């Protein structure tokens, strides 16, 4: 049975007087339903969830295979669609997974403890105040991670970079002469964008995982862009009607599943030489 933990909240409600929060910019609206467009950041109603008291993310220790991270500021736009395609593959293959849309969670900037002294950066992370400690546990518990990102100025989203920066406490285990917790795991990457920067964004993401001992699945990067000659408002229809998007994203997800089945993490245990900075 697949495990889905996206944190998504139903946007419709029979109860009047609801308050709605835009997960992109934080704007709060009242009414029976969210506005069609956020008046502050222009996000669609899909980015609104019912306003509620925030709860800190926890990991219940239930085993699963693949962690899905949607690093876009917009959980339900183009990158979200590509992550939906990944989910379809995992459901078809009977793979246990969990999906998280980062804009629904609190991930603080890295405190850069390492810049104070080498051993100040440690695992568990010194910052236990946000949702990242639970993500740390799930990164370690899972066999693979599939990351989705938009292209923001030829790079990944700032939100995703914060998430990846916060993995430094796991990577730093090698420099503290402690056993690593991630070598031999598998990573897959999918990138969507309007124009240039897909390959650079994907490789920038991969470098974080390479430094933690992850293996990139064969054909483990999928990406698709539209083009600067088009208005960005046309991107969603283009991506959802382009058969290459389905082929590439689902192919990448399939390749990650096949790599997980090889159980390389267990087979390589104790045989790798950490080469990390």
């Amino acid at each position: 049975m697949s495990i889905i933990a996206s944190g998504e909240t139903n946007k419709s409600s029979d109860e009047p007087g609801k308050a709605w929060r835009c997960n992109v910019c934080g704007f709060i609206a009242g009414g029976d339903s969210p506005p069609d467009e956020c008046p502050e950041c222009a996000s669609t109603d899909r980015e609104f969830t019912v306003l509620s008291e925030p709860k800190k993310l926890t990991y219940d220790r239930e085993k699963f295979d693949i962690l899905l991270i949607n690093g876009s500021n917009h959980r339900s736009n183009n990158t979200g669609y590509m992550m939906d395609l990944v989910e379809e593959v995992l459901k078809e293959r009977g793979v246990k997974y969990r999906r998280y849309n980062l804009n629904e969670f609190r991930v603080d900037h890295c405190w850069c403890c390492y810049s104070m002294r080498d051993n100040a950066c440690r695992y568990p992370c010194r910052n236990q105040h946000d949702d990242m400690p639970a993500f740390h546990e799930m990164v370690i518990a899972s066999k693979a991670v599939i990351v989705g990102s938009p292209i923001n100025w030829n790079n990944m989203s700032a939100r995703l970079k914060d998430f990846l920066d916060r993995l430094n406490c796991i990577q730093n285990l090698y420099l503290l002469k402690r056993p690593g917790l991630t070598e031999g795991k598998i990573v897959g990457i999918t990138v969507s964008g309007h124009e240039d920067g897909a390959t650079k964004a994907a490789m920038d993401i991969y470098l974080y995982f390479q430094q933690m001992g992850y293996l990139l699945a064969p054909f483990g990067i999928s990406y698709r862009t539209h083009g600067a000659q088009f208005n960005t408002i046309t991107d969603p229809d283009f991506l959802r009607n382009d058969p290459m998007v389905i082929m590439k994203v689902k192919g990448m997800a399939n390749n990650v599943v096949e790599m997980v089945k090889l159980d390389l993490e267990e087979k390589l245990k104790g045989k790798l030489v950490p080469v990390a900075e």
Side-chain angles (χ1 to χ4, degrees):
M1 179 179 180
S2 298
I3 303 170
I4 307 174
S6 65
E8 292 193 8
T9 306
N10 193 345
K11 299 194 304 297
S12 62
S13 173
D14 296 329
E15 298 180 36
K18 286 284 186 181
W20 307 86
R21 179 182 183 275
C22 174
N23 288 318
V24 178
C25 68
F27 177 80
I28 297 175
D32 295 341
S33 59
D36 293 335
E37 181 178 288
C38 178
E40 287 203 355
C41 70
S43 295
T44 67
D45 62 344
R46 299 190 304 272
E47 303 301 334
F48 281 84
T49 53
V50 175
L51 183 65
S52 60
E53 192 68 27
K55 295 181 180 179
K56 189 175 180 181
L57 181 65
T58 58
Y59 173 45
D60 58 14
R61 303 297 196 279
E62 187 171 349
K63 295 289 186 180
F64 67 102
D65 295 322
I66 300 181
L67 177 64
L68 306 184
I69 297 294
N70 175 7
S72 175
N73 279 331
H74 300 92
R75 65 174 189 161
S76 301
N77 205 33
N78 302 324
T79 306
Y81 168 66
M82 296 173 98
M83 297 303 285
D84 291 343
L85 295 176
V86 172
E87 281 198 72
E88 288 181 19
V89 172
L90 301 187
K91 289 176 180 177
E92 291 168 2
R93 299 293 302 270
V95 175
K96 290 185 177 181
Y97 70 95
R98 296 193 178 197
R99 172 179 172 172
Y100 293 90
N101 303 308
L102 288 186
N103 78 346
E104 300 172 19
F105 299 93
R106 176 186 164 189
V107 176
D108 296 340
H109 298 307
C110 180
W111 289 352
C112 301
C113 306
Y114 180 82
S115 65
M116 299 297 98
R117 51 183 168 84
D118 291 3
N119 62 357
C121 179
R122 66 192 188 198
Y123 178 77
C125 180
R126 286 174 174 267
N127 182 356
Q128 294 289 307
H129 307 302
D130 63 357
D131 293 320
M132 201 62 202
F135 282 124
H136 286 144
E137 293 180 42
M138 287 187 278
V139 165
I140 293 167
S142 60
K143 298 177 181 178
V145 178
I146 296 179
V147 178
S149 178
I151 304 168
N152 289 171
W153 212 344
N154 291 289
N155 211 322
M156 71 186 83
S157 71
R159 193 182 295 271
L160 178 59
K161 188 176 188 302
D162 276 339
F163 175 87
L164 296 178
D165 283 349
R166 291 291 301 282
L167 298 180
N168 191 43
C169 63
I170 298 176
Q171 186 268 346
N172 202 50
L173 288 170
Y174 302 118
L175 302 184
L176 299 180
K177 309 303 181 186
R178 293 173 56 188
L181 299 173
T182 51
E183 63 262 30
K185 294 181 185 292
I186 311 301
V187 65
I189 300 164
T190 189
V191 173
S192 69
H194 185 60
E195 44 189 304
D196 298 334
T199 302
K200 179 183 181 301
M203 293 308 297
D204 285 345
I205 293 167
Y206 172 58
L207 286 174
Y208 281 85
F209 288 94
Q210 189 271 341
Q211 287 285 300
M212 294 193 295
Y214 276 76
L215 304 174
L216 180 66
F219 306 106
I221 294 175
S222 63
Y223 63 87
R224 192 70 166 138
T225 59
H226 193 188
Q229 68 270 35
F230 303 104
N231 191 306
T232 54
I233 199 172
T234 66
D235 290 350
D237 284 341
F238 167 76
L239 291 173
R240 285 160 176 78
N241 290 286
D242 181 14
M244 285 193 68
V245 171
I246 297 174
M247 182 275 290
K248 287 185 173 184
V249 177
K250 287 194 168 185
M252 176 275 295
N254 175 79
N255 298 340
V256 170
V257 172
E258 290 299 324
M259 287 290 283
V260 168
K261 289 169 59 179
L262 296 176
D263 199 20
L264 293 176
E265 183 178 7
E266 185 63 31
K267 293 176 181 177
L268 292 171
K269 187 173 294 185
K271 298 178 181 180
L272 297 178
V273 177
V275 180
E277 296 182 359

